[in-house]
Amino acid sequence: QLQLQESGPGLVKPSETLSLTCTVSGGSISSTSHYWAWIRQPPGKGLDWIASINYSGNTYYGGTLRSRVTISVDTSKNQFSLRLNSVTVADTAVYYCARLIDCTTSCYFDPWGQGTLVTVSS
Amino acid sequence: DFQMTQSPSSLSASVGDRVTITCRATQDIKNYLGWYQQKPGKGPKLLIYAASTLQSGVPSRFSGSGSGTDFTLTISSLHPEDVATYYCQKSGMFGQGTKVEIK
Protein backbone atom coordinates (compact mmCIF):
# COMPACT_ATOMS: atom_id res chain seq x y z
CA GLN A 1 0.00 0.00 0.00
CA LEU A 2 1.48 3.31 -1.09
CA GLN A 3 2.19 5.74 1.72
CA LEU A 4 3.56 9.28 1.75
CA GLN A 5 5.17 11.04 4.69
CA GLU A 6 6.05 14.72 4.92
CA SER A 7 9.06 15.88 6.93
CA GLY A 8 10.75 19.18 7.69
CA PRO A 9 10.97 22.00 10.21
CA GLY A 10 7.76 22.97 11.95
CA LEU A 11 8.89 26.56 12.50
CA VAL A 12 10.40 28.93 9.95
CA LYS A 13 11.31 32.59 10.41
CA PRO A 14 9.87 35.28 8.15
CA SER A 15 11.95 35.95 5.00
CA GLU A 16 13.64 32.53 5.26
CA THR A 17 13.16 29.44 3.09
CA LEU A 18 10.72 26.66 3.91
CA SER A 19 12.02 23.21 2.91
CA LEU A 20 9.95 20.03 3.05
CA THR A 21 10.52 16.46 1.86
CA CYS A 22 7.98 13.79 1.02
CA THR A 23 9.12 10.19 1.35
CA VAL A 24 7.22 7.61 -0.69
CA SER A 25 7.01 4.03 0.56
CA GLY A 26 5.23 0.95 -0.72
CA GLY A 27 5.79 2.00 -4.34
CA SER A 28 8.24 3.68 -6.69
CA ILE A 29 8.37 7.40 -7.35
CA SER A 30 9.78 6.45 -10.77
CA SER A 31 6.40 5.25 -11.97
CA THR A 32 5.82 6.59 -15.47
CA SER A 33 2.08 6.81 -14.79
CA HIS A 34 2.11 9.31 -11.97
CA TYR A 35 2.96 12.82 -10.94
CA TRP A 36 3.62 13.91 -7.35
CA ALA A 37 2.28 17.04 -5.73
CA TRP A 38 2.39 19.48 -2.84
CA ILE A 39 -0.79 21.06 -1.50
CA ARG A 40 -1.24 23.35 1.48
CA GLN A 41 -4.09 24.29 3.80
CA PRO A 42 -3.92 27.42 5.99
CA PRO A 43 -5.52 26.94 9.42
CA GLY A 44 -9.29 26.78 9.08
CA LYS A 45 -9.21 27.31 5.33
CA GLY A 46 -9.40 25.31 2.11
CA LEU A 47 -6.93 23.43 -0.07
CA ASP A 48 -4.41 25.14 -2.35
CA TRP A 49 -2.37 23.17 -4.92
CA ILE A 50 1.26 24.37 -5.00
CA ALA A 51 3.20 22.29 -7.54
CA SER A 52 3.60 18.89 -9.21
CA ILE A 53 6.52 16.89 -10.61
CA ASN A 54 7.15 13.53 -12.24
CA TYR A 55 10.10 11.14 -12.01
CA SER A 56 11.96 12.80 -14.89
CA GLY A 57 11.63 16.28 -13.43
CA ASN A 58 8.76 17.68 -15.50
CA THR A 59 7.10 20.33 -13.32
CA TYR A 60 3.88 22.28 -13.04
CA TYR A 61 3.35 25.19 -10.67
CA GLY A 62 0.18 26.77 -9.30
CA GLY A 63 -0.34 30.46 -9.93
CA THR A 64 -0.36 31.89 -6.44
CA LEU A 65 3.16 30.85 -5.34
CA ARG A 66 4.84 30.26 -8.69
CA SER A 67 7.57 32.89 -8.28
CA ARG A 68 8.71 31.59 -4.87
CA VAL A 69 8.46 27.81 -5.24
CA THR A 70 10.76 25.04 -6.43
CA ILE A 71 9.75 21.39 -6.55
CA SER A 72 12.35 18.67 -7.11
CA VAL A 73 12.60 14.88 -7.17
CA ASP A 74 15.25 12.41 -5.96
CA THR A 75 14.47 9.01 -7.43
CA SER A 76 17.41 7.36 -5.62
CA LYS A 77 15.78 8.18 -2.29
CA ASN A 78 12.17 7.79 -3.48
CA GLN A 79 11.54 11.37 -2.35
CA PHE A 80 10.39 14.68 -3.71
CA SER A 81 10.82 18.07 -2.11
CA LEU A 82 9.44 21.59 -1.87
CA ARG A 83 11.26 24.85 -1.32
CA LEU A 84 9.33 28.08 -0.69
CA ASN A 85 11.40 31.25 -0.55
CA SER A 86 10.83 34.50 1.34
CA VAL A 87 8.09 33.16 3.59
CA THR A 88 5.67 35.36 5.51
CA VAL A 89 3.10 34.61 8.18
CA ALA A 90 0.62 34.03 5.34
CA ASP A 91 2.56 30.86 4.45
CA THR A 92 1.63 29.27 7.79
CA ALA A 93 -0.27 26.14 6.82
CA VAL A 94 -0.47 22.37 6.92
CA TYR A 95 1.53 21.14 3.94
CA TYR A 96 0.50 17.87 2.30
CA CYS A 97 2.18 15.73 -0.31
CA ALA A 98 0.15 13.47 -2.58
CA ARG A 99 0.34 11.27 -5.66
CA LEU A 100 -1.53 12.29 -8.78
CA ILE A 101 -3.52 9.64 -10.64
CA ASP A 102 -5.51 9.38 -13.87
CA CYS A 103 -3.71 12.29 -15.54
CA THR A 104 -4.69 11.12 -19.02
CA THR A 105 -7.75 13.33 -18.65
CA SER A 106 -7.69 15.20 -15.36
CA CYS A 107 -5.46 14.46 -12.42
CA TYR A 108 -6.73 13.44 -9.01
CA PHE A 109 -4.81 13.41 -5.73
CA ASP A 110 -4.55 9.93 -4.17
CA PRO A 111 -3.28 9.05 -1.65
CA TRP A 112 -2.28 11.95 0.60
CA GLY A 113 0.25 12.17 3.38
CA GLN A 114 -0.90 13.02 6.89
CA GLY A 115 0.36 16.58 6.53
CA THR A 116 2.86 18.68 8.44
CA LEU A 117 2.14 22.01 10.10
CA VAL A 118 4.62 24.74 9.25
CA THR A 119 4.38 27.93 11.27
CA VAL A 120 6.08 31.10 10.08
CA SER A 121 7.01 33.21 13.09
CA SER A 122 9.95 35.10 14.47
CA ASP B 1 -11.04 33.22 -14.15
CA PHE B 2 -12.06 29.62 -13.71
CA GLN B 3 -13.75 28.98 -10.36
CA MET B 4 -15.52 26.19 -8.56
CA THR B 5 -18.30 26.96 -6.08
CA GLN B 6 -19.67 24.48 -3.57
CA SER B 7 -22.96 24.70 -1.73
CA PRO B 8 -23.92 24.68 0.99
CA SER B 9 -20.84 25.73 2.96
CA SER B 10 -22.10 23.67 5.88
CA LEU B 11 -25.01 21.42 6.74
CA SER B 12 -26.39 19.52 9.68
CA ALA B 13 -28.31 16.30 9.14
CA SER B 14 -29.52 13.32 11.13
CA VAL B 15 -28.04 9.84 11.00
CA GLY B 16 -29.73 8.02 8.12
CA ASP B 17 -30.56 11.17 6.17
CA ARG B 18 -29.77 11.59 2.49
CA VAL B 19 -27.20 14.36 2.06
CA THR B 20 -26.48 16.23 -1.16
CA ILE B 21 -23.60 18.61 -1.87
CA THR B 22 -23.29 20.52 -5.11
CA CYS B 23 -20.31 21.89 -7.01
CA ARG B 24 -20.60 24.31 -9.89
CA ALA B 25 -17.82 25.17 -12.34
CA THR B 26 -17.67 28.45 -14.25
CA GLN B 27 -16.89 26.61 -17.49
CA ASP B 28 -17.52 23.19 -19.00
CA ILE B 29 -15.20 20.63 -17.40
CA LYS B 30 -16.85 17.55 -18.96
CA ASN B 31 -16.67 14.88 -16.21
CA TYR B 32 -13.23 15.89 -14.95
CA LEU B 33 -14.23 16.26 -11.29
CA GLY B 34 -13.12 14.65 -8.05
CA TRP B 35 -14.65 14.59 -4.58
CA TYR B 36 -12.63 14.37 -1.36
CA GLN B 37 -13.45 13.77 2.30
CA GLN B 38 -11.33 15.40 4.99
CA LYS B 39 -11.83 14.43 8.62
CA PRO B 40 -10.51 16.72 11.37
CA GLY B 41 -6.74 16.54 11.71
CA LYS B 42 -6.35 14.22 8.70
CA GLY B 43 -5.32 14.52 5.08
CA PRO B 44 -8.06 14.44 2.45
CA LYS B 45 -9.22 11.13 0.98
CA LEU B 46 -10.31 10.69 -2.63
CA LEU B 47 -13.89 9.41 -2.72
CA ILE B 48 -14.93 9.82 -6.35
CA TYR B 49 -13.14 10.66 -9.58
CA ALA B 50 -14.31 11.31 -13.12
CA ALA B 51 -17.47 12.73 -11.52
CA SER B 52 -19.08 9.36 -10.77
CA THR B 53 -16.42 6.63 -10.36
CA LEU B 54 -16.15 5.38 -6.78
CA GLN B 55 -12.55 5.02 -5.62
CA SER B 56 -11.63 1.55 -4.38
CA GLY B 57 -12.63 0.93 -0.77
CA VAL B 58 -15.10 3.80 -0.55
CA PRO B 59 -18.53 2.79 0.84
CA SER B 60 -21.29 2.51 -1.72
CA ARG B 61 -23.47 5.04 0.14
CA PHE B 62 -21.30 7.68 -1.55
CA SER B 63 -22.13 8.54 -5.15
CA GLY B 64 -21.37 11.29 -7.61
CA SER B 65 -23.15 12.62 -10.65
CA GLY B 66 -23.09 15.44 -13.16
CA SER B 67 -21.18 16.69 -16.15
CA GLY B 68 -20.38 20.00 -17.77
CA THR B 69 -20.73 22.62 -15.06
CA ASP B 70 -22.98 21.08 -12.39
CA PHE B 71 -22.03 18.19 -10.14
CA THR B 72 -23.42 16.47 -7.07
CA LEU B 73 -22.02 14.34 -4.25
CA THR B 74 -24.65 12.28 -2.47
CA ILE B 75 -24.45 10.33 0.77
CA SER B 76 -27.48 8.05 0.60
CA SER B 77 -27.67 7.39 4.34
CA LEU B 78 -25.54 9.54 6.65
CA HIS B 79 -23.35 7.64 9.11
CA PRO B 80 -21.68 9.20 12.18
CA GLU B 81 -18.25 8.54 10.65
CA ASP B 82 -19.19 10.71 7.65
CA VAL B 83 -18.72 13.86 9.73
CA ALA B 84 -16.08 15.69 7.68
CA THR B 85 -15.49 18.49 5.23
CA TYR B 86 -16.02 17.59 1.58
CA TYR B 87 -14.23 19.23 -1.34
CA CYS B 88 -14.72 19.09 -5.08
CA GLN B 89 -11.67 19.38 -7.35
CA LYS B 90 -10.78 19.96 -10.97
CA SER B 91 -7.05 19.70 -11.73
CA GLY B 92 -5.26 22.13 -9.36
CA MET B 93 -8.39 23.88 -8.13
CA PHE B 94 -10.55 22.92 -5.16
CA GLY B 95 -13.97 24.12 -4.09
CA GLN B 96 -14.18 25.95 -0.79
CA GLY B 97 -15.52 22.93 1.07
CA THR B 98 -18.76 21.78 2.70
CA LYS B 99 -18.73 20.89 6.37
CA VAL B 100 -21.09 18.05 7.28
CA GLU B 101 -22.21 17.63 10.87
CA ILE B 102 -24.66 15.38 12.70
CA LYS B 103 -27.82 17.01 14.02
Side-chain angles (χ1 to χ4, degrees), chain A residues 7-23:
Chain A
S7 60
L11 181 65
V12 181
K13 290 182 167 54
S15 80
E16 294 189 344
T17 297
L18 179 161
S19 295
L20 296 173
T21 296
C22 181
T23 301

Side-chain angles (χ1 to χ4, degrees), chain B residues 10-78:
Chain B
S10 65
L11 66 89
S12 181
S14 299
V15 172
D17 281 356
R18 183 181 184 88
V19 170
T20 299
I21 298 167
T22 64
C23 180
R24 176 163 290 173
T26 53
Q27 60 188 247
D28 184 351
I29 59 170
K30 303 183 188 297
N31 70 331
Y32 302 156
L33 188 92
W35 288 100
Y36 298 80
Q37 175 192 64
Q38 185 178 30
K39 296 185 178 181
K42 302 289 188 180
K45 173 186 174 183
L46 178 66
L47 298 176
I48 288 167
Y49 63 97
S52 60
T53 302
L54 203 64
Q55 178 66 328
S56 176
V58 174
S60 59
R61 63 181 180 275
F62 291 93
S63 64
S65 64
S67 66
T69 60
D70 294 314
F71 301 87
T72 299
L73 172 70
T74 300
I75 308 173
S76 60
S77 176
L78 188 66

Side-chain angles (χ1 to χ4, degrees), chain A residues 39 41 44-50 94 96 99-102 104-115, chain B residues 31-36 38 41-46 48-51 55 87 89-96:
Chain A
I39 308 100
Q41 185 172 38
K45 296 189 177 180
L47 300 163
D48 185 25
W49 167 68
I50 301 170
V94 175
Y96 295 99
R99 182 183 64 173
L100 286 162
I101 65 169
D102 199 26
T104 52
T105 52
S106 181
C107 297
Y108 304 96
F109 301 89
D110 182 67
W112 296 57
Q114 66 183 26
Chain B
N31 70 331
Y32 302 156
L33 188 92
W35 288 100
Y36 298 80
Q38 185 178 30
K42 302 289 188 180
K45 173 186 174 183
L46 178 66
I48 288 167
Y49 63 97
Q55 178 66 328
Y87 294 93
Q89 170 252 338
K90 161 65 172 78
S91 297
M93 180 161 290
F94 293 88
Q96 76 272 30

Side-chain angles (χ1 to χ4, degrees), chain A residues 1-7 20-32 34-38 53-56 71-82 97-99 111:
Chain A
Q1 180 183 356
L2 191 79
Q3 292 186 316
L4 295 89
Q5 178 68 58
E6 305 88 351
S7 60
L20 296 173
T21 296
C22 181
T23 301
V24 178
S25 60
S28 175
I29 203 169
S30 297
S31 165
T32 58
H34 299 111
Y35 271 72
W36 308 87
W38 287 99
I53 192 167
N54 73 349
Y55 74 100
S56 64
I71 189 171
S72 59
V73 65
D74 187 338
T75 55
S76 67
K77 295 182 179 178
N78 228 32
Q79 295 176 334
F80 63 104
S81 299
L82 177 75
C97 59
R99 182 183 64 173

